[in-house]
Amino acid sequence: MDIKLLNIGFGNTVIANRVVAIVSPGSAPMKRLKEDAKQTSKLVDATMGRRTRAIIITDSGHVILSGIQAETIALRLAHDPGSKDGAGKGSAKREGSGD
């Protein structure tokens, strides 16, 4: 089994195969999800003291808070430089373009 790590910002990583969803934190259901995870001790705060910009949901039910945009994390997941199909070519250029 090949384990791939996904950089979620500020030196923090998660196992890419365990990620179920990457969502924006602004909506009321996401705020409730965050509070529920906190009460059940399944919340992991990886924001390093910064504002939460993405919520990552794993297959184990853990909720991970990240300080970088959900779109950026999704691009990193989709354009894994270690992939065999070459999808990672040029991904760093697109992420740094300021879109």
Side-chain angles (χ1 to χ4, degrees):
M1 184 166 127
D2 191 23
I3 297 175
K4 296 191 188 307
L5 296 176
L6 174 64
N7 182 347
I8 60 168
F10 312 112
N12 299 301
T13 59
V14 297
I15 298 173
N17 296 341
R18 306 285 307 257
V19 174
V20 174
I22 304 167
V23 296
S24 297
S27 69
M30 291 304 109
K31 290 178 183 177
R32 282 193 301 272
L33 178 72
K34 179 178 153 184
E35 284 304 312
D36 291 346
K38 187 175 184 178
Q39 290 180 357
T40 59
S41 298
K42 290 204 168 210
L43 182 70
V44 178
D45 187 350
T47 61
M48 303 297 282
R50 292 169 175 86
R51 188 174 135 231
T52 300
R53 295 190 175 170
I55 297 176
I56 301 164
I57 304 165
T58 66
D59 60 355
S60 63
H62 285 83
V63 175
I64 304 167
L65 308 180
S66 175
I68 62 174
Q69 294 289 338
E71 182 180 344
T72 302
I73 297 171
L75 284 173
R76 290 177 184 179
L77 184 61
H79 299 291
D80 180 8
S83 69
K84 294 177 183 163
D85 63 358
K89 293 180 182 174
S91 64
K93 184 177 180 182
R94 182 172 179 180
E95 284 180 19
S97 67
D99 290 349

